[in-house]
Amino acid sequence: MARKIRLGAFLPGGGQHIASWRHPDQPVDGAVSFEFHKQLAQTAERGLFDAYFLADNLAVGFGGAREGGNARVAGFEPTTLFSALAPFTTNLGFIATSSTTYEEPYLTARKFASLDLISGGRAGWNVVTTTGDSAAQNFNLDTQLPHASRYKRAAEHVDVVKALWDSFEDDAFVRDVESGVFYDKAKLHETNHRGEHFQVRGPLNVPRSPQGHPVIVQAGQSEDGRDLAAATAEVIFTAHQHLETAQEFYRDIKTRARRLGRDPNHILVMPGVSPFVGRTLAEAQEKYERLTSLILEEDGVGLLNGLTGGTLDLKGYDLDGPLPVAPPTEGMKSRQALLRQIADENNFTIRQLYQWVASARGHYTIVGTPETIVDTLQEWFENEAADGFNILPPWLPTALDDFVDLVIPELQRRGLFRTEYEGTTLRENLGLPYPVNRWSVERPVAQAAE
């Protein structure tokens, strides 16, 4: 089968752009409107997207910044929302964010295994370590844990969750009414984990789903993040502004995975792209400029304060002057470096920088026609920079409709994207292998040794 582009739809109900809620096409209450999220999910499925992707915060506002009033300040918890949306779709996957820093592995394993069963095998777990002191202060801490500590905990957390997902073998449930045997006790296994951060006996009280277990997604780009992704991730959400940096990341991740004994083809690298689509370039540019004009200064400054780590307060600085230099914090180190890179390469003022990142927080923004947008996606896809893309429509629902109605047909015309879903589970549609239960593999070896 020819290699195809994979697509995720990043669809916060309040809109991706910080000013999207002020756009006349965007419902002002979209962030907390279930009916609107249902509409978005059904549009994404109409466009044959692999998955609906949602980030999540454990504090008010992005990076703890409460300045201004953009619609990302509050919304639904993702697994709860996706459990409600699953019955209204058939093939679309649901990738929800959950924190390894502030959640226990058993609860994480249980809620995602439940979502996976409810959706018929369409769940994915976006593994995050959670940045910001404001989140830490909601979980018995004064400041966030050091970056390296968060990632050490994350690696152990993922290992425990995966072990818990293997608690029941695939055929453990006999459910024989005549004999009265509900499940085969020999096919239920305790986890018995004792590590530096967690002590978990198990087993998990949720069985496996039609896809085995949820797809594991990760988004770190620092050294620690790359190590975690290469070891555990099946899909990687990444941010790049240039083909060359995307290629470096892509090749590095695949190399690290190969060294760990993993098949690099079973790790899909999907950079984020925020498209402003027009039937002409002038129309696309008008859409970009119209949304940009709606940004309030305090929102733009608040966004940069959060993205640059939270210690650089830009209030009082000349917005038409350069971005001041600030030391990196224990927050999103890779994103802080990317913001600095964007500002320096483009010689952006503070105002120009927040205008540029307002739609995608450092992900690649493309303003163009369906043909020019697909030209870029195709170049990255065919030159070791991407296996697919997470699409971040700047405002909703119009920008999602634009992508589905204008860009998807061009991708299909070039043979780059599916014309129908390949399967019913998220793994099948992403082309990822079924995860064999560790106990199903180990038992024959043990019997042979007796």
Side-chain angles (χ1 to χ4, degrees):
M1 184 181 297
R3 181 169 170 258
K4 301 288 186 181
I5 286 176
R6 309 301 178 184
L7 289 179
F10 198 95
L11 306 172
Q16 179 64 25
H17 192 284
I18 63 170
S20 57
W21 73 276
R22 302 184 67 205
H23 195 286
D25 293 350
Q26 173 93 36
V28 293
D29 65 344
V32 290
S33 167
F34 176 75
E35 287 300 317
F36 186 53
H37 283 87
K38 184 173 76 172
Q39 174 189 341
L40 297 177
Q42 291 174 336
T43 300
E45 185 161 77
R46 178 169 65 84
L48 304 177
F49 276 84
D50 289 276
Y52 187 152
F53 192 119
L54 271 185
D56 193 31
N57 297 315
L58 295 176
V60 170
F62 187 87
R66 302 186 191 185
E67 298 90 339
N70 77 72
R72 291 171 64 89
V73 70
F76 291 123
E77 189 281 316
T79 57
T80 306
L81 173 64
F82 286 159
S83 294
L85 288 176
F88 295 98
T89 56
T90 304
N91 299 93
L92 184 70
F94 294 101
I95 299 173
T97 297
S98 186
S99 173
T100 58
T101 301
Y102 301 116
E103 292 195 21
E104 290 293 313
Y106 195 92
L107 293 178
T108 301
R110 191 166 188 251
K111 71 179 181 180
F112 278 93
S114 297
L115 175 60
D116 213 25
L117 275 179
I118 290 168
S119 64
R122 293 185 282 141
W125 171 29
N126 179 37
V127 179
V128 300
T129 64
T130 306
T131 184
D133 292 342
S134 58
Q137 290 157 10
N138 290 332
F139 293 90
N140 300 310
L141 296 172
D142 292 323
T143 59
Q144 63 186 316
L145 297 176
H147 186 273
S149 297
R150 296 202 309 272
Y151 275 94
K152 284 183 65 179
R153 178 184 167 98
E156 185 179 342
H157 192 290
V158 174
D159 286 345
V160 178
V161 168
K162 291 174 68 177
L164 286 166
W165 282 338
D166 279 348
S167 293
F168 285 100
E169 294 183 39
D170 293 308
D171 57 349
F173 287 88
V174 179
R175 299 186 179 98
D176 188 316
V177 175
E178 293 300 321
S179 68
V181 176
F182 190 77
Y183 75 99
D184 184 342
K185 295 179 181 179
K187 295 184 178 182
L188 173 62
H189 306 276
E190 292 185 353
T191 306
N192 292 321
H193 175 86
R194 288 181 178 268
E196 180 180 353
H197 301 93
F198 304 108
Q199 178 178 320
V200 182
R201 189 185 74 174
L204 185 68
N205 59 349
V206 183
R208 280 159 68 91
S209 81
Q211 69 170 347
H213 65 62
V215 173
I216 296 178
V217 183
Q218 209 265 333
Q221 292 186 201
S222 65
E223 280 300 306
D224 291 331
R226 293 185 187 209
D227 283 342
L228 179 64
T232 65
E234 297 170 284
V235 175
I236 302 174
F237 185 26
T238 182
H240 296 282
Q241 294 289 309
H242 304 291
L243 173 65
E244 295 75 21
T245 62
Q247 288 174 320
E248 183 279 325
F249 179 86
Y250 184 97
R251 292 164 180 165
D252 181 56
I253 286 292
K254 303 281 184 171
T255 298
R256 293 184 194 219
R258 189 179 293 108
R259 287 173 183 163
L260 293 170
R262 299 187 65 195
D263 185 339
N265 294 319
H266 297 163
I267 305 173
L268 305 177
V269 178
M270 297 175 64
V273 173
S274 182
F276 288 81
V277 186
R279 289 175 174 79
T280 65
L281 179 57
E283 180 186 338
Q285 189 66 36
E286 188 277 330
K287 291 179 178 180
Y288 174 77
E289 292 173 356
R290 182 180 190 186
L291 198 51
T292 299
S293 71
L294 298 176
I295 301 173
L296 301 176
E297 288 185 356
E298 57 266 35
D299 276 355
V301 169
L303 175 65
L304 292 185
N305 283 347
L307 289 174
T308 53
T311 60
L312 178 60
D313 189 351
L314 295 172
K315 287 182 180 177
Y317 280 88
D318 179 4
L319 298 187
D320 296 310
L323 181 72
V325 176
T329 73
E330 291 294 340
M332 298 181 294
K333 291 188 174 182
S334 60
R335 195 57 55 90
Q336 294 172 54
L338 182 59
L339 266 287
R340 183 80 258 172
Q341 173 195 325
I342 294 171
D344 291 346
E345 286 183 351
N346 296 283
N347 197 30
F348 277 160
T349 65
I350 293 172
R351 189 188 310 276
Q352 289 170 324
L353 180 61
Y354 74 58
Q355 289 175 340
W356 185 246
V357 302
S359 66
R361 278 92 175 152
H363 293 282
Y364 192 27
T365 297
I366 308 178
V367 182
T369 64
E371 293 76 16
T372 59
I373 289 172
V374 172
D375 286 345
T376 299
L377 301 185
Q378 183 171 5
E379 181 183 22
W380 285 41
F381 177 66
E382 294 180 345
N383 289 280
E384 295 187 320
D387 296 304
F389 302 90
N390 270 311
I391 304 303
L392 296 79
W395 79 103
L396 298 167
T398 310
L400 175 62
D401 290 332
D402 286 346
F403 195 90
V404 168
D405 295 335
L406 300 176
V407 178
I408 293 292
E410 180 62 19
L411 286 168
Q412 293 170 329
R413 188 185 68 78
R414 300 189 195 188
L416 295 168
F417 190 62
R418 64 168 64 92
T419 55
E420 62 181 1
Y421 283 107
E422 296 83 1
T424 59
T425 71
L426 179 56
R427 288 186 176 278
E428 289 173 315
N429 291 322
L430 288 172
L432 294 171
Y434 183 91
V436 177
N437 187 295
R438 68 191 67 194
W439 298 101
S440 301
V441 173
E442 290 173 4
R443 180 183 289 111
V445 175
Q447 290 175 344
E450 292 178 354

